[in-house]
Amino acid sequence: NAEYMGGDKYNKGLRHFSFQVCEKVREKGKTTYNEVADELVMETASKGTSPEQKNIRRRVYDALNVLMAMDIICKDKKDIYWLGLPSETSASSTREHRQRKSALEDSVARKRAHLQELLTQLISLRNLSRRNASSLTAAGVAEPPSDECIRLPFIIVNTAKTTLIECEVAADRTEYFFNFAQPFEIYDDSEVLKRMALHYPSQELIDSGFLSQEMVANLPPGLKHALQINLAKYV
């Protein structure tokens, strides 16, 4: 019937796209969904056919899920890695295992770096909170004047005083567009707190239990050194 034929046609199309997606990932070794989808959209358009982009991208998405289910590829966040076809030789299998090992090591390294950044931010915010509390106590007030507060999160844009800056604001004030006539730099709140040296851990943070042994063990090397304690018992 028409419903069955439509399903059969879709399955054939999915197999065709799965093969194309498989070849794309195999050639690149490491890629992303957007990269594969963009290339297939362009290739399809160059052949004179013009299916809807969203249809192609949906099929690419479905094809990637099929290949992941077959352990032909693996995915880590946005990155897609080639693992290999089940029917390849033992030499290829060895290469695939090495590729998988390399992909997993890359994933662990990225996650370790992300954890270190989160710990650094945690320490910065803790030190900022303690510094602010001390300042309020010394001033004898419960809260600072509202016009002296900078709310988190924030960003700072730095450029020369002579720079001409054009600014446009969306009607709903959810988007801001800047055009700088000279080079500029953008810093987020985490970077600003680091420049204020608030990211350095102290012995007090450990003695109070704020930083656990596992947290200390996962600090960036530079911050471990800054503690100036015997870290052997934490590693």
Side-chain angles (χ1 to χ4, degrees):
N1 56 37
E3 182 179 359
Y4 173 81
M5 290 301 293
D8 185 60
K9 182 178 180 180
Y10 175 79
N11 289 333
K12 288 181 179 179
L14 181 58
R15 286 196 296 270
H16 174 68
F17 265 85
S18 295
F19 176 77
Q20 288 184 302
V21 170
C22 184
E23 287 301 307
K24 287 288 183 185
V25 182
R26 185 174 188 175
E27 291 172 3
K28 297 176 181 297
K30 175 185 174 182
T31 185
T32 63
Y33 160 76
N34 284 332
E35 186 176 22
V36 174
D38 289 343
E39 289 188 10
L40 287 176
V41 168
M42 292 179 62
E43 291 175 6
T44 302
S46 66
K47 294 177 181 178
T49 56
S50 56
E52 292 186 3
Q53 282 195 30
K54 64 180 181 180
N55 186 41
I56 296 177
R57 293 181 179 277
R58 178 173 58 83
R59 290 194 175 188
V60 170
Y61 179 81
D62 291 341
L64 288 173
N65 285 332
V66 170
L67 296 175
M68 279 191 289
M70 297 173 66
D71 287 330
I72 295 175
I73 63 174
C74 68
K75 185 177 181 182
D76 177 48
K77 295 184 178 178
K78 293 184 178 181
D79 294 325
I80 297 171
Y81 299 89
W82 173 258
L83 299 179
L85 298 172
S87 60
E88 291 184 345
T89 63
S90 58
S92 297
S93 179
T94 300
R95 184 174 65 253
E96 292 155 12
H97 283 300
R98 289 175 179 172
Q99 290 176 337
R100 173 178 284 186
K101 180 175 180 290
S102 177
L104 292 174
E105 288 175 344
D106 289 344
S107 175
V108 170
R110 286 193 299 273
K111 290 177 180 178
R112 180 180 291 113
H114 183 57
L115 174 60
Q116 291 177 345
E117 178 60 26
L118 290 177
L119 288 173
T120 302
Q121 292 179 20
L122 178 65
I123 294 171
S124 297
L125 294 173
R126 171 69 172 188
N127 287 335
L128 176 64
S129 176
R130 294 179 69 248
R131 192 200 69 164
N132 290 347
S134 297
S135 298
L136 292 176
T137 300
V141 296
E143 294 183 359
S146 59
D147 59 349
E148 296 182 7
C149 293
I150 299 178
R151 305 294 180 182
L152 294 171
F154 63 83
I155 61 171
I156 292 178
V157 182
N158 180 40
T159 187
K161 292 182 179 180
T162 57
T163 302
L164 177 63
I165 305 174
E166 296 178 358
C167 177
E168 296 180 9
V169 184
D172 58 1
R173 295 186 176 274
T174 59
E175 292 183 331
Y176 295 79
F177 304 91
F178 294 94
N179 185 22
F180 293 81
Q182 296 187 56
F184 63 94
E185 298 174 318
I186 297 179
Y187 305 102
D188 64 7
D189 50 286
S190 297
E191 180 61 25
V192 172
L193 295 180
K194 288 179 183 178
R195 288 173 176 255
M196 295 171 64
L198 290 174
H199 65 299
Y200 287 108
S202 63
Q203 183 67 45
E204 184 273 334
L205 294 180
I206 297 175
D207 294 340
S208 66
F210 181 78
L211 289 179
S212 66
Q213 296 181 3
E214 292 79 9
M215 293 166 72
V216 172
N218 284 289
L219 287 174
L223 296 187
K224 282 185 181 180
H225 179 71
L227 282 171
Q228 296 181 348
I229 60 174
N230 181 13
L231 294 173
K233 61 182 178 180
Y234 294 110
V235 179

